[in-house]
Amino acid sequence: QKEVEQNSGPLSVPEGAIASLNCTYSDRGSQSFFWYRQYSGKSPELIMSIYSNGDKEDGRFTAQLNKASQYVSLLIRDSQPSDSATYLCAVNGAQGAQKLVFGQGTRLTINP
Amino acid sequence: GAVVSQHPSWVICKSGTSVKIECRSLDFQATTMFWYRQFPKQSLMLMATSNEGSKATYEQGVEKDKFLINHASLTLSTLTVTSAHPEDSSFYICSAPTDLGTDTQYFGPGTRLTVL
């Protein structure tokens, strides 16, 4: 079992709809969870960080964390074509809080 | 957010030569930096942890003699790919956690290495 798992997609969502991205992780000791967006040929860009169970909202983005289920998700409301990218879930690893383990990423396409 | 720069942004070299990539934290100090490699359509793979003033920590399967890391100051880490071969062609990205008491990492823009 991979440490951090994501559905690789592609996930297609019509413009204006809600895009839902999911991630599961295996290390119950993980404390920090991140969502990064990566455009083709570019490096990852931090979108959200979440540390506590529940929801965290920032603009059109909402991160959800459920440590009991080892599940973290990202919702994008009012999806725009510019949201089309690969979304990477990252979790701090077992061997130190600063060492991140990445999922394989979900490719999201927003259709105009 | 914190700014991390990399230089060069892209480099083409001949097989057998060495290439140095620089990673700088521009507005904060970074005692730790991370080096990743990303092949097309794959996720980031951590290569090593760069530690200021001490030896780097390499991930399993990464050759430390081939990928030399130096972290000589609190704002600069370098990765040298020695005797590069075509299979080393990849997107190399560094990251650094800020010194703000969290483990949020910010990534440099990446360096595209092509070995002919």
Side-chain angles (χ1 to χ4, degrees):
Chain A
Q1 180 189 6
K2 294 181 181 178
E3 292 184 62
V4 180
E5 292 206 50
Q6 294 179 254
N7 187 326
S8 61
L11 174 65
S12 292
V13 173
E15 183 176 358
I18 296 175
S20 178
L21 305 163
N22 304 315
C23 173
T24 59
Y25 60 96
S26 60
D27 183 6
R28 284 194 171 274
S30 299
Q31 296 295 319
S32 306
F33 307 87
F34 304 89
W35 283 100
Y36 287 87
R37 176 175 62 196
Q38 187 176 27
Y39 292 113
S40 180
K42 302 294 185 181
S43 70
E45 170 191 10
L46 179 68
I47 297 178
M48 296 278 286
S49 60
I50 186 166
Y51 303 93
S52 304
N53 280 327
D55 295 359
K56 179 181 178 182
E57 186 175 319
D58 184 0
R60 296 186 296 112
F61 300 97
T62 299
Q64 298 174 320
L65 175 61
N66 184 325
K67 290 185 179 180
S69 300
Q70 296 175 246
Y71 175 90
V72 58
S73 66
L74 179 70
L75 300 178
I76 307 174
R77 290 182 299 281
D78 188 23
S79 298
Q80 303 296 311
S82 58
D83 295 327
S84 298
T86 296
Y87 289 80
L88 299 166
C89 172
V91 177
N92 71 328
Q95 296 184 9
Q98 294 184 334
K99 190 173 176 179
L100 294 180
V101 179
F102 283 85
Q104 68 268 41
T106 298
R107 188 157 55 93
L108 173 66
T109 300
I110 306 300
N111 301 308
Chain B
V3 179
V4 177
S5 71
Q6 274 185 251
H7 177 80
S9 55
W10 60 270
V11 57
I12 301 173
C13 69
K14 293 182 179 180
S15 185
T17 61
S18 295
V19 175
K20 180 185 284 188
I21 302 170
E22 294 185 348
C23 177
R24 293 182 185 273
S25 57
L26 296 185
D27 52 358
F28 65 100
Q29 294 182 332
T31 56
T32 302
M33 291 183 176
F34 298 94
W35 286 96
Y36 296 85
R37 181 168 54 181
Q38 186 176 35
F39 293 107
K41 299 189 185 302
Q42 295 186 25
S43 190
L44 280 74
M45 288 187 57
L46 180 63
M47 299 176 65
T49 302
S50 175
N51 305 298
E52 188 269 335
S54 64
K55 292 183 179 180
T57 306
Y58 290 82
E59 295 301 301
Q60 190 173 8
V62 178
E63 301 175 57
K64 62 179 181 180
D65 294 330
K66 180 171 182 61
F67 299 99
L68 301 179
I69 292 174
N70 184 282
H71 196 149
S73 78
L74 288 171
T75 59
L76 174 64
S77 174
T78 61
L79 168 68
T80 301
V81 183
T82 63
S83 186
H85 288 96
E87 58 265 31
D88 298 323
S89 298
S90 188
F91 192 40
Y92 291 85
I93 313 172
C94 69
S95 75
T98 65
D99 55 0
L100 300 176
T102 72
D103 52 2
T104 300
Q105 289 189 31
Y106 291 91
F107 284 83
T111 298
R112 178 80 55 190
L113 170 63
T114 302
V115 185
L116 302 177

